[in-house]
């Protein structure tokens, strides 16, 4: 067994590197949203294809997160983090220089693969370089808050770069940031040694089945009313169901399962991850449609759009820092369920304002409420997922909760935009004309559906048990070898 980390020796540097890495990962997942209108014009892409810029990143990110967490547990957080940074930087360079939409999507896939290694590795780095107790709790709080800042600041950062340097620099900026983190990562944690509690194998078939299942669900959720598209959705849904069935069989039989099915028997784990899936599915389309509304309907420039979203950014950051205090004042369960309720209320309000063609300034207070609710929900769910688990299970726990959110967001974006487009396909559906009319009408469908999902997430979050559980069994993720099989 490895020795516990030396308090204070590596902690501050590890917290800084891990938090900055997670901020970059979260930021890059959302930062392109505000650049989509400019990107569509530059690459001659229709509005219906734009969600795939986000999903091409989110699908491999979600699908390989658990494998990334297992790799970080096996080879050590520093090695995993530096490998992920190299892949992420190379993919960012290719995406920033992409001559076509297809090349851009391919590079976004590799960005997602790099992020799938970076995110869990950063969490393992924290747990490896900090001592259990107060020091580790503070480190995880900083990591969570920094990620929330990255998500909140994505609009401002993307708008600034898009308007001043062009949308390509939203991607190329990573080529400057990643090498700095690569250099800082060296020596950010104590020397890595094997731990007998960690499973020694990699469940690559399980990871591939995860990706196939997520991609199939994503394609199946994209509905636009056409006959050929309906057939494609049905086939994709069938592939997704088959992949999920094969995944269950694989995880039961493989010696080192990527996702131990016994883990899902824990009420805390099951309800926490279910709430994350549903909540992120419900909010996925909100930022997408708000950005299109601001630029294509209200006629705002990218930087002006970002500045209008700045109050929400600030509110989200301030809320993130004070969520632990809020949980003490209101109670753990009340705080956990308040976030999705605020999200639902904001989405209903945004739908009404945008459907009525209100000026974008009228949306700002609702965006503030949305940001506050999202910050409360994400931080409380992350805390619930990782609180009671020992350090050697941090990669699995962190990968699972992040995969839940990413998969929910990816599938939700495809489903809500697809359903909205299908329900507004008729020319007489709106008295307005043109692309802006389509956006306005789709908002009236997608955002109320998202708000309804947020309310479902409220119910799931309410059912998360109070207090801490004992975590996974010590041998979770390890299945003893059958007696008739040679090791």
């Amino acid at each position: 067994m490895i020795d516990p980390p030396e308090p204070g020796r590596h902690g501050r540097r590890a917290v800084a590197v891990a938090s900055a890495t997670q901020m970059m990962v979260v930021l890059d997942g959302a930062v392109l949203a505000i650049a989509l209108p400019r990107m569509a014009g530059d690459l001659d892409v229709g509005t219906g294809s734009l969600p795939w810029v986000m999903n091409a990143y989110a699908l491999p990110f979600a699908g390989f997160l658990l494998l990334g967490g297992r790799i970080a547990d096996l080879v050590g957080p520093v090695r995993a983090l530096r490998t992920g940074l190299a892949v992420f930087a190379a993919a960012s360079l290719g995406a920033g220089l992409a001559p076509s939409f297809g090349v851009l999507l391919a590079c976004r896939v590799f960005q997602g693969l790099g992020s799938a290694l970076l995110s869990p590795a950063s969490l393992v780095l924290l747990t490896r370089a900090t001592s259990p107790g107060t020091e580790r709790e503070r480190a995880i709080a900083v990591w969570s808050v920094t990620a929330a800042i990255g998500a909140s600041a994505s609009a401002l950062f993307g708008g600034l770069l898009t308007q001043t340097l062009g949308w390509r620099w939203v991607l190329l900026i990573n080529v400057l940031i990643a090498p700095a983190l690569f250099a800082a990562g060296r020596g950010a944690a104590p020397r890595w040694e094997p731990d007998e509690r960690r499973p020694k194998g990699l469940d690559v078939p399980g990871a591939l089945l995860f990706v196939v299942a997520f991609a199939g669900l994503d394609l199946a959720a994209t509905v636009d009313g056409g006959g050929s598209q309906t057939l494609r959705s049905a086939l994709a849904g069938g592939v997704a169901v088959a992949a999920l069935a094969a995944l269950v069989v694989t995880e039961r039989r493989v010696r080192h399962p990527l996702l131990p099915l016994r883990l899902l028997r824990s009420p805390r784990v099951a309800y926490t991850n279910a709430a994350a899936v549903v909540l992120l599915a419900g909010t996925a389309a909100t930022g997408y449609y708000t950005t299109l509304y601001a630029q294509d309907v209200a006629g705002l420039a990218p930087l002006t759009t970002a500045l209008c979203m700045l109050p929400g950014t600030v509110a989200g950051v301030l809320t993130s820092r004070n969520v632990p205090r809020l949980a003490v004042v209101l109670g753990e369960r009340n705080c956990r369920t308040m976030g999705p309720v605020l999200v639902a209320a904001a989405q209903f309000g945004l739908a009404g304002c945008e459907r009525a063609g209100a000026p974008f300034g009228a949306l700002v207070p609702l965006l503030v409420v949305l940001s506050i609710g999202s910050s409360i929900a994400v931080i409380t769910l992350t805390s619930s997922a990782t609180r009671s688990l020992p350090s050697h299970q941090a990669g699995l726990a962190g990968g699972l909760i992040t995969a839940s959110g990413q998969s929910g967001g990816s599938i939700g974006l495809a489903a809500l935009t697809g359903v909205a487009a299908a329900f507004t396909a008729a020319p007489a559906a709106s008295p307005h004309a043109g692309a802006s009319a389509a956006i306005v009408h789709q908002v009236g469908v997608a955002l109320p559906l998202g708000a309804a999902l947020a309310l479902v997430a409220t119910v799931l979050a309410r059912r998360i048990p109070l207090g801490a559980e004992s975590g996974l069994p010590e041998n979770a993720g390890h299945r003893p070898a059958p007696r008739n099989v040679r090791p």
Side-chain angles (χ1 to χ4, degrees), residues 13-31 57 61 65 69 81 84-85 88 111-112 114-126 139-154 174 177-178 181-182 378-379 382 386 394-395 397-403 405-406:
R13 185 173 181 180
V15 170
V17 172
S19 299
T21 299
Q22 183 66 4
M23 173 186 272
M24 183 181 69
V25 169
V26 173
L27 187 70
D28 216 78
V31 71
Y57 177 91
F61 186 18
L65 262 171
L81 186 138
L85 284 170
F88 188 84
Q111 272 190 309
S115 295
L117 190 55
L118 287 174
S119 185
S122 67
L123 189 56
V124 176
L125 178 62
L126 284 185
I140 292 177
V142 171
W143 184 85
S144 299
V145 169
T146 306
I149 293 173
S152 301
S154 60
N174 295 321
I177 298 173
L181 293 174
F182 186 93
V378 169
I379 290 180
T382 302
T386 60
L400 181 59
I401 186 64
T402 310
Q406 287 293 324

Side-chain angles (χ1 to χ4, degrees), residues 245-474:
L247 179 63
V248 171
V249 174
T250 299
E251 299 306 276
R252 286 183 179 275
R253 301 176 67 176
V254 71
R255 185 177 180 185
H256 302 291
L258 187 64
L259 176 59
L261 297 181
R262 73 188 76 177
L263 172 61
L264 300 180
R265 298 174 187 170
S266 162
R268 173 178 289 276
V269 172
Y271 282 116
T272 297
N273 285 275
V277 169
V278 176
L279 178 66
L280 270 295
T283 58
T286 306
Y288 172 76
Y289 279 118
T290 300
T291 298
L292 293 181
Y293 182 87
Q295 297 183 46
D296 291 348
V297 179
L300 301 181
L303 182 56
T304 306
T305 302
L307 291 175
C308 289
M309 294 180 176
L310 184 59
T313 300
V314 175
V317 171
L318 294 178
T319 301
S320 300
R321 296 184 60 184
N322 291 283
V323 168
R325 298 178 187 175
L326 194 63
V328 172
V329 174
L330 299 179
E332 179 184 348
R333 178 167 288 164
N334 291 333
C335 185
R336 189 188 296 136
T337 55
M338 183 176 68
V341 169
L342 292 176
V343 168
Q347 286 182 297
F348 277 124
L350 288 169
C353 289
E354 295 182 22
R355 189 73 176 87
F360 196 76
L363 277 60
V364 172
L366 292 169
L367 293 174
V368 170
V369 175
L370 179 70
S371 184
I372 291 174
S374 298
S375 296
I376 294 173
V378 169
I379 290 180
T380 53
L381 290 175
T382 302
S383 175
S384 175
T386 60
R387 177 188 307 155
S388 60
L389 297 180
S391 61
H392 71 278
Q393 295 166 348
L396 177 60
L400 181 59
I401 186 64
T402 310
S404 297
Q406 287 293 324
S407 60
S410 176
I411 295 170
L413 179 60
L416 293 178
T417 56
V419 170
F423 272 82
T424 59
S430 173
H432 307 283
S436 62
I439 293 171
V440 168
H441 207 76
Q442 287 175 29
V443 163
V445 176
L447 266 61
L449 288 176
L453 289 175
L455 292 177
V456 174
T458 303
V459 176
L460 294 171
R462 191 79 182 173
R463 296 183 64 87
I464 298 173
L466 293 173
E469 295 179 354
S470 58
L472 300 180
E474 286 297 316

Side-chain angles (χ1 to χ4, degrees), residues 1-5 66 68-77 120 123-132 136 140 192-200 257-258 260 263 385-399 470-478:
M1 184 182 299
I2 58 174
D3 296 328
L66 293 180
R70 178 64 56 80
I71 292 173
D73 283 336
L74 284 174
V75 306
L123 189 56
V124 176
L125 178 62
L126 284 185
T127 58
R128 176 65 184 130
T130 56
S131 300
R136 183 169 297 163
I140 292 177
W192 184 257
E193 297 179 11
D195 186 341
E196 64 271 15
R197 295 174 297 180
R198 292 184 174 88
K200 302 301 187 292
L258 187 64
L263 172 61
T386 60
R387 177 188 307 155
S388 60
L389 297 180
S391 61
H392 71 278
Q393 295 166 348
L396 177 60
S470 58
L472 300 180
E474 286 297 316
N475 63 342
H478 172 76

